[in-house]
Every structure is written in structure tokens, then in C-alpha cells.
């Protein structure tokens, strides 16, 4: 029993926080859990609830499948100050306050990257470690970042020419065909090999950015928006590397002006990859240990076939990013640590409990559709349907003399609880012609009223399973 | 004549833009001109007009004191794409458009850092160079950044304790005494040596940030706002290093909690210095060749004694930064290139022409007030009164039977030109009791109507002298 005390003393005397940081990682006492999802997939709600569940881990039986809790080995949890002070902190307090107030509200969505650290004290069950250090601490760093940034990673392997052809191809189908009309018409008038004015460059990139914004609009809910920073520029606003766009046709001849549209755009594209995408990769992505990707499938169902297939494309692109990360050049240069990847369909409480397996199977199908054969070396991938904050109750009603499952909750635009049959999640991906208007109409709900703020647990569905998969092996 | 052609060929074949960049600098063909000023000092208008004057250098006699133009050696000027694509571009086009439209408007102010590159082709008059390369190009990189960032540089030499005591001292005088009341009252309730909650830390830094915002308000027009990023956080919003504040009293005892208010705030202060101030120093400040600091003295006069003395403090702090930069540790580590520094009183057209010398002398007085003895090794410092866009005409009126100088222009809140006597600029700094209400009332004017956009020259006062001082020796 002498050793740990000495070691602790020694640790506490280290003045350099980053040395301590490094030691934490060496002893496998830290895990970086990255949370992402396309816009409006519920990242903020997920992290808020996850942190809340962890902080109240000792108080109840709300995490049966999170083994460290259900086995009684959890000793305590605490929010910590993160040593990386230049990275925005995830706003847990205001979010939980909004969720737990008298008239609960969904917390404000985040933009950009933020992080929060939870320290978990636990009893080890490793016989060897137990002798030296019976109580250990795992620091869980939860990193929240926009899914759009993840969709940028494939650009690292794409030349400007290849990327342009991909976008040109996508713009041949609705709704992109209509939404890109202004940009395409402008492009059609340009000689991309000739000398170009600044005004033309600016106009082209402005029209392309507007096109991306329209795609992102709730009405269309497109997922695959590249480059990801164009719709969320932050401090880079006005930088030339955010002012480019693809070309619709590649220059055929070999001669072109030294400062042609094509060459300038290509240079900016490469600069974007260098300063934005690679920077994200090396400063953040390469240090993640675990990753969860949140997916709001119900909204895609509601909006229709195009939104759904676009989401499927985007998810498969995300999958490819990880595969690429493990085998590609970037990994060789900078390494990639992620070894567990969870795709989670959120809002599992918006369907009846008996539809949960369908929701999960459907997500699996979306991912395997184009990727049956890919083996992700060293990345264990899982799918799950979950609800970060359960805002409905299972109920029953009568339909043609039969008992039928339904759910009860307060719709987002109402103050009265209703019981409704939310619709069936299909077991197979519907054919294009089956996506008739109103085929799916999943309702959005208000958060439930919790009797008392922080002391109370937030109802959820399968957050414990997510936790077990993501960090359960670290204890 | 063989040499330059070969050299040019060789240069043009270099594919790496940054190598070319470096060569440009080696041959002294590039100059980085930094433009700053406290909020609302007219940086955007200044740069817009400066670029416009340069671009139209061949068209008239509007730059008599800018020798390269008046000597007829200017061959041409051109806006260039800046090779640093990750840095926001200064928006020249929209600004000049606003200024030159039918109903001219002052351009939108900028926030953060931006830059623009002007290439100046000229005939050299160096006999030796002339033989090899009769026509040369000087690339002028104009960098626009907030004056608040400059006011952060002194922090690099200040401990958290020293800085706290400076702020505490400043808060004993009006208007800071009143404006900081909420923050000071909150601080008085805290035991800065004891354990602290996150909520307390957040509340303290929020109240301090609100205090800074109130100081910055037009009504008070305080200049000396530290830390500079607190009122303009950009992408750092929510990062712990923007959530600290000074303490009003230093802890007296030697014992305090490991995570006390004082120690956490001190750590964040150091992190701010490291990640914000030092970053600006190394990535930008250390590469500037020339610097102009714009000062709107007339507004300070209008607002009164406190605003005026605060501006004086801030300007002297800026001066000290450069001195410190030349002699201090940072310079030894990272170097500092600036060798010319111009302080310019803007809006010289808002006083009568015969008051111009007073305006300049006054600015000089402000700077020498506390710095008579400082010798700036290697930094030539100059003061000047100028007008980026002259929006008044000199006129005369009668007063008690005498002819008196006045100015004619359209006030900002009117559509009719008026002739008015704008008030006298004092020759000496008024005593505190002389700043009676309404002692100064300099009127703000609308930009003049220019007959035709880009082809026309923008009237100015002494921009040519500023140019000559800042870059004249580079030709």
C-alpha cells in the first residue's frame, strides 16, 4: 500500500499539467470520447444527458447495462476543469438548467468544437492492479464537434478534379438539381480556363455557399454538404480558403491562363484541405479514442426519399473516413487511435417500444448497403437506437377492436399531452415510389417535466448500453 | 540584361508559393504594413482610401508628398491575391462601393484580423539596381487588426498579481468606479483563497466582461480594456481562457486551497497569455515591418476628461509595447522587425485647416507626457494628423465683424450641408476642471458624394505623407 501513496504524491507535485496529462494517458486512465452527428441530430441533448447520468451514477438503478455502475464498483463522479483552456467548454450547466426547469426546453444547440471532462472513480476488478491501486480514476473527455467536419475528411484523398466531378454528379439529381440552379447557371457562363476577375471568383463561391445553405434547410435536410466549413465559417469568415467552389466540367485543353478560374479554385481547395481539414485531423480527430455518430433517422423519414438517401450516403462516407483513417496515408503520418465506433439512431422514444429493433435494423441496413465487404481493421463498429431524454410514455389504444401500442407525450407545438400511434418504421428500405407524401409523420415532442432539477435522474433509452460499448472496457 | 530574365524565369518556375514569398522578402520586395487603432478609430475607412489612392496613383496629382508617385517613377499598381489563404481578406470592394455609391456610406467596420496585398511596380533610382533590374515590384501587405490586441502585449511582462493590482487601481477612479460596481461587489463577497465553484468562476468573469463592455460603450469610450479578446471572443467563445478576471486584493496568507479562485484565475490568465497574446505576437506582430496607430482624438475630446486620459494611457501603453518589443524577452525569442511607427490623429477634416498643427502637437504631447525620456532604439516614431476621406470644405464666416475659418459638410444625422465653426483644439492638455460639459462638440460628417466610383479620386488630407513615412524608403 506504500506504492500508490508515493505515486500519488509524486503526481501531485508535478507542476506541468501536460506532463500529468501524458501520464494519465500512458496508464490508460483517460479516454477521449468524440460525439458528433449531422446538424440537429441532438448532440447537445445527448452529451447533457450522458454527463447527467454519469454524475448521478451512484443514485439509482438507471444504468443497468453500464457494468461499472451496476456492479457497484463505481465510487464517484465529478466534473473537472479541462486542462486545454483554449478549447471552448461544453456548456453543461445552462443545458441541464433548461432541461430541468419548470417549463423544460431543449438546450441550445452548439456550434463548433467544445469539450467537457468527467472524472470517474472506481474500484478495479483486475486482481493485479487491485493490489497496487484498488481505487482508480478514469478521465472521460467528451468532445462535441459538428458532423460536417467529419464529412470533410474524404477530401484529403480527393483531388480538386475528382471532388468537382462528385459534386457535379450530385447536382444532377433532385433536390440538388433545383437548389443548385443559380450556381450552375452562373458557372455555365464562365470560361474556367481563362483569366478571371475577383468579382467572378467571389460570386461563384457565394452562389455555391448559398446552395449549401439551401440544402441544409429543414425543408430539404440534406446531409452531404461539402466543404463543411462553408455553412459554419467562424473566425475564418472572409478567408480566401472559404471562397472556392467546384467546377462542373474539367478543362479539356492543356493551355490555360496562369491565374485561371480553375487554377485559383484548385489552389484554394488545396489550401482548405491543408489549413482546415488536416488541422482538424491532426489537432483533434487523431486523438479520439472512441466515436459516437448520432443520426436522426425519423426526420429523414419525414422529409422523404431524397433526404433519406442523402443521409445514407453521408453515413457511409463517414464510415469510409474511419476505414480510410485506419489504412490511409494520414494515419501513417499522424496515427488514428479510434478503435470503437457507434452509430446511434436518436429519438428512439418517438416510436413505440416494439419498433426499436426495426429502428436499429434499419440503421444497420443503411450502413451495410454499400459496405457489406468492408472490414474495419481494428475498429469495432456497432449500431444502437437510443433516446437521450425520453419524452414519451408507452401506452395502448384500440384499433379495430385490437390493442395497439402507441406513445404518449406533449408535442413540440402544443401544451397538452396526446397519445398517438407514431407510424411504423419499415423493416426494409422503401422503394423510391413508396415514399409518398405523408408516408411518415413522426412527431417531435417537448422534453418531459422532471420533478426536481439536478438531484433527479433524466429518463433515457439505452444510454447505458451506449456507455458500456463506448467506455465500458476502460474500467 | 541576361541576369534578370534568367532570375525571373527561375522565379516563375518555383512551384512553392512560400519559397517565392521568402525570396520576395530577402530581396526587400515586400513590406508588411500593420494598421491598427482602438475601436471606431476608422481603420476600415483608412485602408479603403489608402488602397484606392495607391490603385489610382497614376491618375493624378493627389499624392504630392508620396515621392515614388510625384517623381513619376510609379509604373502601375494592382491588387493581388494574398498567398496566406487562411487569413480573412480585407474587403476592399464592398467598402469602396459603399463609399462611392449615390448616397455614400461609411464602410462597415471590420472585426478581427484581415489583410490585403497591393503590388506596386516602379522604376528604381538606385544606380546599381537599375542596371540589373530597372523595374521592380514592391508588395505591400496591409494588415488590419484591432487595437485591443495591441493593448494585450503588456500582459506578457505582467504577472497575474501585478495585472490585478493595475486593474484594481484603475477601478478606483470614475467612470470605472461606477461601471465596475457589480463586479467589485461580487468580488468583495468571495474568499479568493478558498475552494471555489464553477458557478462562482463563471459569474465573476461574466461580471468582469460586462464591465469591459460598458467601458467600451460610446457613452464612456474607454480605451484601455484588458484582456482585449473579452469583448471580441470569436471562435474562442466559451473557452476557459476567456473566463477569468483580476482579483481586487492579493491573498495575504501563504495557505490556500489547491483549486482556489485565485489559483484557477491565475492559471487561466497565464493560458490566455500563452494561447492568445503570444500567438498573436509570434504569428503576426513579429512579422510587421511598419505600423500605423489611428487615433480618434476628437471623440475623446467630446466625451470628456476621463475618456481623454484613458486614451492617453492606452497610447502610451502601445508605445511601451513597441519599446518592450525591441528590448524585451519576446524580441530575443521571436524577433521584432518594426522600425517605423506612426501615430495618426484621424478626422483632420473635422477641424479647420488652421487647427491642424494643434491637432498634431496635441497628439505629440499626449505621447511625450509620460515618455519624454524613452529612446526607442531602432524605431522611428512620428505623429501626423490626417483624414482618410475628406468630407468637409474649408470656408469662412463672420464673427463680430471678423473673418473666421470654418468648415462646410453634411452632418451624419442630416441631409443638408452646413457651415460651422467646429471648435478649437487646445494647444495644451486642459486641466480636469476645464472639461466642462459641452466644452468640445466636434460634429461627425457624412462621406462626400464622389461623382464617379472607382475612376475618381477620394479627397484626403495627408495620406501621402503617411505613405511616404511608412513605405517611402522601400522604393
Amino acid at each position: 500500500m506504500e506504492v500508490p501513496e508515493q505515486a500519488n504524491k509524486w503526481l501531485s507535485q508535478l507542476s506541468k499539467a501536460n506532463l500529468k496529462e501524458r501520464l494519465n494517458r500512458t496508464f490508460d486512465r483517460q479516454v477521449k470520447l468524440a460525439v458528433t452527428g449531422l446538424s440537429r441530430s441532438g448532440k447537445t441533448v445527448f452529451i447533457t444527458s450522458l454527463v447527467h447520468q454519469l454524475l448521478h451514477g451512484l443514485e439509482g438503478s438507471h444504468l443497468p447495462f453500464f457494468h461499472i455502475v451496476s456492479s457497484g464498483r463505481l465510487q464517484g463522479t465529478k466534473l473537472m476543469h479541462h486542462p486545454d483552456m483554449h478549447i471552448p467548454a461544453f456548456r453543461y450547466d445552462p443545458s441541464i438548467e433548461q432541461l430541468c426547469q419548470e417549463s423544460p426546453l431543449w438546450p441550445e444547440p452548439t456550434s463548433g468544437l467544445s469539450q467537457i471532462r468527467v472524472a470517474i472513480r472506481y474500484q478495479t476488478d483486475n486482481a493485479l492492479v487491485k493490489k497496487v491501486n484498488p481505487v482508480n480514476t478514469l478521465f472521460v473527455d467528451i468532445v462535441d464537434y459538428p458532423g460536417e467536419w467529419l464529412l470533410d475528411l474524404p477530401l484529403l484523398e480527393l483531388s480538386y478534379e475528382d471532388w468537382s466531378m462528385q459534386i457535379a454528379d450530385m447536382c444532377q439529381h433532385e433536390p440538388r438539381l433545383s437548389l443548385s440552379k443559380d450556381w450552375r447557371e452562373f458557372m455555365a457562363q464562365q470560361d474556367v480556363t481563362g483569366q478571371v476577375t475577383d468579382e467572378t471568383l467571389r460570386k461563384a463561391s457565394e452562389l455555391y455557399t448559398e446552395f449549401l445553405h439551401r440544402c441544409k434547410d429543414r425543408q430539404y435536410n440534406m446531409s452531404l454538404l461539402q466543404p463543411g466549413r462553408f455553412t459554419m465559417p467562424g473566425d475564418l469568415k472572409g478567408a480566401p480558403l472559404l471562397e472556392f467552389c467546384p467546377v462542373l466540367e474539367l478543362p479539356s485543353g492543356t493551355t490555360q491562363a496562369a491565374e485561371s478560374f480553375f487554377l485559383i479554385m484548385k489552389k484554394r481547395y488545396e489550401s482548405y484541405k491543408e489549413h482546415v481539414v488536416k488541422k482538424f485531423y491532426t489537432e483533434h480527430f487523431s486523438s479520439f479514442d472512441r466515436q459516437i455518430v448520432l443520426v436522426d433517422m425519423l426526420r429523414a423519414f419525414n422529409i422523404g426519399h431524397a433526404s433519406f438517401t442523402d443521409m445514407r450516403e453521408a453515413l457511409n462516407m463517414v464510415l469510409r473516413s474511419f476505414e480510410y483513417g485506419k489504412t490511409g496515408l494520414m494515419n501513417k503520418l499522424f496515427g488514428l487511435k479510434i478503435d470503437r465506433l457507434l452509430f446511434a439512431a436518436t429519438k428512439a422514444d418517438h416510436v413505440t417500444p416494439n419498433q426499436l429493433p426495426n429502428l436499429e435494423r434499419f440503421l444497420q441496413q443503411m450502413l451495410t448497403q454499400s459496405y457489406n465487404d468492408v472490414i474495419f481493421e481494428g475498429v469495432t463498429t456497432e449500431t444502437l437506437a437510443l433516446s437521450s431524454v425520453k419524452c414519451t410514455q408507452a401506452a395502448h389504444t384500440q384499433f379495430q377492436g385490437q390493442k395497439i401500442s402507441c406513445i404518449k407525450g406533449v408535442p413540440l407545438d402544443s401544451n397538452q399531452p396526446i397519445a398517438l400511434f407514431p407510424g411504423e418504421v419499415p423493416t426494409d428500405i422503401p422503394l423510391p415510389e413508396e415514399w409518398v407524401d405523408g408516408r411518415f409523420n413522426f412527431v417531435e415532442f417537448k422534453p418531459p417535466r422532471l420533478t426536481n432539477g439536478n438531484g433527479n435522474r433524466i429518463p433515457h433509452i439505452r444510454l447505458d448500453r451506449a456507455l458500456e460499448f463506448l467506455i465500458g472496457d476502460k474500467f
Side-chain angles (χ1 to χ4, degrees), chain A residues 80-107:
Chain A
M80 307 284 287
H81 291 142
H82 202 284
D84 291 344
M85 288 192 250
H86 60 293
I87 295 177
F90 179 83
R91 294 294 184 159
Y92 173 70
D93 288 351
S95 297
I96 199 74
E97 222 167 83
Q98 285 188 290
L99 214 47
C100 293
Q101 66 196 2
E102 185 62 24
S103 306
L105 291 173
W106 293 116

Side-chain angles (χ1 to χ4, degrees), chain A residues 33-38 40-54 63 90-92 95-96 99 106-110 116 118 140-145 290-295 342-348 384-390 458-471:
Chain A
L33 168 59
V35 178
T36 196
L38 302 167
R40 301 183 289 259
S41 59
K43 294 188 292 294
T44 309
V45 182
F46 174 80
I47 296 174
T48 305
S49 178
L50 194 78
V51 170
H52 186 87
Q53 310 295 344
L54 287 174
L63 298 170
F90 179 83
R91 294 294 184 159
Y92 173 70
S95 297
I96 199 74
L99 214 47
W106 293 116
E108 301 274 330
T110 52
I116 187 167
V118 186
V140 184
D141 284 342
I142 303 171
V143 184
D144 171 21
Y145 71 94
R290 304 291 157 88
Q291 173 76 58
I292 178 168
V293 179
L294 302 173
V295 187
L342 179 62
F343 285 91
T346 55
K347 303 190 184 163
L384 191 72
L386 60 78
S387 166
S388 306
V389 176
K390 188 168 173 277
I458 297 177
H460 68 87
I461 297 174
R462 294 190 180 172
L463 269 192
D464 49 343
R465 287 177 200 261
L467 275 168
E468 183 63 24
F469 173 76
L470 289 166
I471 58 170

Side-chain angles (χ1 to χ4, degrees), chain A residues 401-451:
Chain A
Q402 297 286 316
K403 203 169 90 168
I404 185 171
S405 295
C406 69
I407 51 175
K408 219 173 129 178
V410 184
L412 207 50
D413 52 6
S414 153
N415 284 315
Q416 290 301 318
I418 56 166
L420 63 85
F421 177 70
E424 277 177 14
V425 178
T427 50
D428 288 297
I429 293 172
L431 297 170
E433 60 270 27
E434 292 179 323
W435 293 84
V436 287
D437 242 13
R439 154 94 196 245
F440 299 107
N441 188 18
F442 295 102
V443 171
E444 304 249 20
F445 290 98
K446 281 190 173 159
R449 273 186 67 188
L450 305 166
T451 33

Side-chain angles (χ1 to χ4, degrees), chain A residues 151 170 176 212 222-226 310-311 313-314 317:
Chain A
L151 288 175
M170 282 163 64
R176 283 190 173 80
L212 291 183
M222 295 286 106
S223 303
L224 224 170
L225 306 174
Q226 288 172 327
D310 201 66
M311 176 179 277
E313 276 296 308
M317 192 177 270

Side-chain angles (χ1 to χ4, degrees), chain A residues 158-308:
Chain A
L158 286 180
S159 69
Y160 176 65
E161 289 83 347
D162 292 342
W163 178 64
S164 286
M165 291 305 92
Q166 279 192 5
I167 303 291
D169 187 52
M170 282 163 64
C171 287
Q172 293 186 350
H173 310 284
E174 289 295 359
R176 283 190 173 80
L177 183 67
S178 308
L179 296 177
S180 65
K181 189 165 169 280
D182 292 350
W183 170 66
R184 284 186 299 104
E185 284 179 359
F186 182 82
M187 290 297 289
Q189 294 160 19
Q190 309 306 321
D191 166 18
V192 299
T193 60
Q195 199 73 20
V196 67
T197 65
D198 275 3
E199 209 187 316
T200 302
L201 292 168
R202 195 173 304 131
K203 188 76 191 163
S205 71
E206 268 174 21
L207 287 171
Y208 184 75
T209 308
E210 278 168 27
F211 155 59
L212 291 183
H213 275 291
R214 279 200 288 266
C215 289
K216 202 175 183 174
D217 192 89
R218 274 171 182 277
Q219 188 183 349
Y220 303 103
N221 199 50
M222 295 286 106
S223 303
L224 224 170
L225 306 174
Q226 288 172 327
R229 291 299 163 102
F230 276 35
T231 51
M232 33 174 68
D235 281 351
L236 284 173
K237 194 168 181 201
L241 57 69
L242 292 194
E243 291 177 352
F244 66 91
C245 70
V247 288
L248 287 166
E249 272 179 50
L250 298 181
S252 49
T254 47
T255 55
Q256 59 176 305
E259 296 255 283
S260 72
F261 185 100
F262 182 80
L263 290 178
I264 291 177
M265 290 303 198
K266 183 179 163 77
K267 219 193 272 179
R268 292 181 178 182
Y269 171 81
E270 293 299 336
S271 180
Y272 180 84
K273 282 163 66 172
E274 189 64 33
H275 287 280
V276 177
V277 191
K278 212 175 271 181
K279 195 165 177 253
F280 168 62
Y281 193 105
T282 53
E283 289 185 6
H284 300 287
F285 191 65
S286 61
S287 71
F288 297 157
D289 298 297
R290 304 291 157 88
Q291 173 76 58
I292 178 168
V293 179
L294 302 173
V295 187
D296 181 357
M297 286 210 300
L298 302 182
R299 175 178 292 123
F301 278 137
N302 280 354
I303 290 167
H305 182 246
S307 167
F308 171 80

